[in-house]
């Protein structure tokens, strides 16, 4: 079980990235409300739309 209050060590994150085990997941949708932002949990449809996005740029540096 993962303790959500404990950050992961940088070495672990780097090792997982180098092994090709990093991914992306939609965590929230942010909408403009009346003088504030509203944070919404994503629906399956929102995740499907986000997964179809084709970024014009992505990082090109090598994890060391």
């Amino acid at each position: 079980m993962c303790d959500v209050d404990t950050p992961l060590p940088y070495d672990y994150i780097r090792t997982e990235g180098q092994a090709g085990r990093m991914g992306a997941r939609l965590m929230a949708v942010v909408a403009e409300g009346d003088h504030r932002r509203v944070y919404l949990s994503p629906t399956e449809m929102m995740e499907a739309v986000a997964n179809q996005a084709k970024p014009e740029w992505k990082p090109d540096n090598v994890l060391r």
Side-chain angles (χ1 to χ4, degrees):
M1 175 153 308
C2 179
D3 182 357
V4 295
D5 293 326
T6 304
L8 294 170
Y10 178 74
D11 288 343
Y12 173 80
I13 296 169
R14 180 177 47 214
T15 299
E16 291 300 296
Q18 290 171 336
R21 293 188 291 258
M22 296 287 283
R25 178 140 189 230
L26 182 62
M27 301 298 289
V29 174
V30 183
E32 293 292 331
D34 293 328
H35 306 289
R36 64 187 182 107
R37 292 186 180 122
V38 179
Y39 297 86
L40 307 168
S41 295
T43 64
E44 288 182 19
M45 182 182 289
M46 291 173 183
E47 285 193 74
V49 170
N51 287 333
Q52 293 176 2
K54 303 285 189 246
E56 295 179 15
W57 176 88
K58 65 179 181 178
D60 59 0
N61 41 333
V62 178
L63 291 175
R64 298 174 195 222

